[in-house]
């Protein structure tokens, strides 16, 4: 009887183990099946070209799975997917580490549900049509190192919870409609290397405690106050752009302590006082202090510069002799002062400058001076950020036409430019077309339009 009782107990134990084993297997199967269904329900993998004609979702376009069959990576960068981001059910992807939905046509708000992706390390939602506020739940993504939400239509303030992302190395929120002050917690992200908050409507002062920062872009906002002396302690900085704000006061003298600084842009502010000696250090190659209220003499210490703009200030005294080599890169002067060649095509250069200035809302020299190797500057990014992006199709076509003709007027060789008569004829025709969408046209493409190569025509 005891044997029978003991045997019975063993049977019960084994039955329990087998039941648990089956339950675990069914749970795993159900999890992967739920992931697959969530992909299909988003409609982004509804076409056979996206599923590669297989039922195995781990082999679908942009999908990477781990050895257990769970999705760890989704990369649909620039796949022109449509619909609202809320169509994607984040709840079913607990193992997701990498998500790139950048440069698509996604709309709607960023769902607060995104905060449940506890394993997410990299998130790209840039280059879409997302609206609404940045959900505070993003602050729950404790493993996040890279966050790109730029080039959308996001509004509201930066949630302070982002300051809890202690592992964050890159934060890109530029080209949105964000407002308010930059949260103090952002300045305490000790691992942050790259901070892009430019082209928004941020207000308040600039602060800095980011000891590892290498790139700092705060340009084209409404920041005020002075440039903090504390900023000069960030010795790893390589690029600093604080231009087009409402900053005042003096340029900190300690800015010369930057060891790695290669580019410094403080233009279009209300800075006063003199230019510090040895500004930026020996590594500095690009310096723009234009459109301020700086006074005094030009320091005799700009020996390593490749690009210099000190125009529209109150500087006086002689131009240091060694800066004569930079003269073609100095801005705010007429072209005739450089070439001394008078032709019937000289006036079109000025027209090209004015035309671009109207579109950009500022002097276009930074675009004029781009080399042919600078292929990544887009037309939409250089338009006046104070205006709403163009929506009307006719307006977009006219902006492209003006841009194409303006760049033709600015060709480095005067003989390759159109005459003003030809310019007027082209405007009357109003013929231009691009297969690409307006938001994805590069400046280099506008420059290379063969229909405006005028040498042979005007000869």
């Amino acid at each position: 009887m005891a044997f029978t009782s003991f045997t019975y107990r063993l049977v019960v134990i084994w039955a329990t183990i087998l039941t648990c084993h089956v339950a675990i297997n069914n749970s795993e199967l159900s999890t992967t099946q739920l992931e697959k269904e969530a992909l299909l329900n988003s409609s982004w993998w509804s076409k056979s070209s996206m599923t590669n004609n297989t039922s195995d979702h781990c082999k679908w376009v942009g999908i990477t799975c781990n050895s257990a069959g769970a999705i760890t990576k989704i990369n649909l960068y620039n796949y022109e997917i449509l619909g609202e981001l809320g169509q994607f059910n984040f709840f079913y992807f607990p193992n997701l580490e990498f998500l790139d939905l950048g440069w698509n046509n996604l709309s709607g708000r960023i769902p607060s549900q995104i905060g449940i992706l506890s394993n997410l390390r990299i998130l790209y939602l840039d280059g879409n049509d997302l609206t609404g506020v940045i959900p505070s739940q993003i602050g729950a993504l404790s493993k996040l190192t890279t966050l790109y939400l730029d080039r959308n239509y996001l509004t509201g303030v930066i949630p302070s919870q982002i300051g809890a992302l202690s592992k964050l190395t890159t934060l890109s929120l530029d080209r949105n409609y964000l407002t308010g002050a930059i949260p103090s917690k952002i300045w305490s992200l000790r691992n942050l290397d790259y901070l892009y908050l430019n082209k928004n409507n941020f207000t308040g002062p600039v602060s800095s405690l980011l000891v590892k920062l290498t790139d700092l872009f705060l340009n084209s906002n409404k920041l005020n106050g002075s440039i903090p002396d504390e900023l000069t302690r960030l010795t790893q900085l390589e690029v600093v752009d604080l231009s087009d704000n409402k900053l005042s006061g003096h340029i900190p003298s300690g800015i010369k302590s930057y060891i790695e600084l290669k580019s410094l842009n403080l233009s279009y502010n209300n800075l006063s006082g003199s230019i510090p000696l040895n500004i930026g250090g020996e590594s500095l190659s690009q310096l723009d202090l234009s459109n301020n209220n700086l006074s005094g003499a030009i320091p005799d210490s700009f020996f390593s510069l490749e690009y210099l703009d000190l125009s529209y200030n109150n500087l006086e005294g002689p131009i240091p002799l060694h800066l004569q080599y930079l003269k073609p890169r100095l801005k705010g002067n007429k072209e005739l002062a450089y070439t001394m060649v008078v032709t019937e095509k000289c006036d079109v250069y000025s027209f090209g400058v004015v035309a671009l200035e109207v579109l950009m809302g500022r002097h276009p020299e930074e675009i004029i001076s781009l080399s042919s190797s600078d292929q990544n500057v887009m037309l939409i990014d250089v338009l006046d950020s104070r205006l709403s992006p163009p929506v009307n199709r006719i307006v977009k076509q006219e902006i492209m036409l003006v841009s194409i003709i303006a760049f033709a007027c600015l060709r480095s060789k005067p003989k390759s430019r159109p005459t003003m008569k030809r310019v007027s004829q082209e405007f009357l025709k109003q013929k231009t077309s691009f297969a690409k969408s307006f938001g994805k046209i590069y400046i280099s493409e506008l420059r290379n339009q063969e229909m405006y190569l005028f040498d042979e025509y005007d000869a």
Side-chain angles (χ1 to χ4, degrees), residues 37 59 64 92 98 203 291 340 342 349 428 456:
E37 291 180 3
K59 296 180 181 179
T64 302
Y92 294 111
F98 180 103
T203 56
N291 292 274
M340 299 304 292
V342 181
Y349 188 93
L428 289 174
E456 183 177 347

Side-chain angles (χ1 to χ4, degrees), residues 345 348 405 408-409 414 416-420 422-423 452 454 458:
K345 300 184 179 184
V348 296
I405 294 178
C409 293
S416 67
R417 300 170 190 158
T419 61
M420 280 305 299
R422 182 67 191 279
V423 167
Y452 293 105
F454 294 95
D458 291 317

